[in-house]
Amino acid sequence: MIWLIGGTSESRAVADALDEAGLPWVVTVVSDRARQLYEGRSGQVVVGQLTDIAAFLQTYSIRGIVDASHPFATEISQTAIATGLPYIRLERPSPLPTNAIVLPRLADVLQDGYLAQRRVLLTVGVKWLARFIPWLEKGEFWARILPTAASRKLAIASGFPESQLIPMQLPVPIA
């Protein structure tokens, strides 16, 4: 059985390829909405944070891992690598064209007052919000987080104001 770390459109394509190859797979995702990516496919879907990796590996007789998770999902990627099982990471192509202008380091932009009195929408992931706490008084910061109790709890624990959290799962359907 192959463990597909998913929740992205790329992981859905991997699931399709595994089905075409006749390989059994189980995908892990963090939300019910992500479960929908795999409807009509042959694999099993496990929703929620994995708390006992050893039990998961044993329950599903995992023999290899394909990691097609979001680039910011580093914790699950590191955990998967640490299992010692054969591991493949599917990387998204860089969205930057070869002639892209690279912005200055974030710390430099924040230090020089560039964001002073501006509205800023953070889409960096809940685990990174603590890095912005020192600058909250310099501008109006909002953070998009996943609409889960765990994400909300982490954001608030980091010191980010609850009133400036936007719980939203992307992509947002357009009616």
Side-chain angles (χ1 to χ4, degrees):
M1 179 78 72
I2 295 172
W3 172 19
L4 173 57
I5 305 172
T8 62
S9 56
E10 293 90 353
S11 67
R12 181 179 54 212
V14 171
D16 288 341
L18 293 171
D19 278 351
E20 287 178 25
L23 297 170
W25 55 274
V26 58
V27 64
T28 54
V29 297
V30 296
S31 71
D32 256 342
R33 181 164 179 165
R35 171 196 303 264
Q36 297 170 6
L37 291 170
Y38 310 96
E39 288 179 356
R41 288 157 180 86
S42 69
Q44 301 174 56
V45 182
V46 175
V47 178
Q49 185 175 3
L50 292 179
T51 56
D52 188 344
I53 298 293
F56 171 80
L57 296 175
Q58 184 175 7
T59 298
Y60 291 96
S61 300
I62 301 298
R63 299 290 177 251
I65 303 166
V66 177
D67 185 351
S69 63
H70 191 279
F72 289 141
T74 57
E75 189 175 321
I76 191 62
S77 297
Q78 291 169 353
T79 299
I81 291 167
T83 67
L85 291 168
Y87 174 89
I88 297 172
R89 169 81 186 156
L90 178 68
E91 292 286 337
R92 292 178 174 183
S94 173
L96 295 175
T98 55
N99 62 348
I101 297 171
V102 178
L103 294 174
R105 290 180 343 115
L106 178 62
D108 295 339
V109 170
L110 293 171
Q111 293 291 14
D112 72 9
Y114 177 78
L115 298 178
Q117 307 305 314
R118 294 184 186 226
R119 288 188 182 143
V120 178
L121 175 62
L122 301 172
T123 60
V124 296
V126 70
K127 293 178 183 175
W128 291 82
L129 293 181
R131 294 178 180 226
F132 293 89
I133 300 304
W135 292 285
L136 289 181
E137 295 175 4
K138 298 179 182 188
E140 185 178 342
F141 286 75
W142 294 81
R144 188 212 37 98
I145 63 170
L146 290 174
T148 65
S151 289
R152 183 178 159 276
K153 183 178 178 181
L154 280 172
I156 293 169
S158 77
F160 211 89
E162 184 175 11
S163 62
Q164 291 170 252
L165 297 175
I166 304 168
M168 180 184 291
Q169 178 76 36
L170 296 176
V172 176
I174 299 175

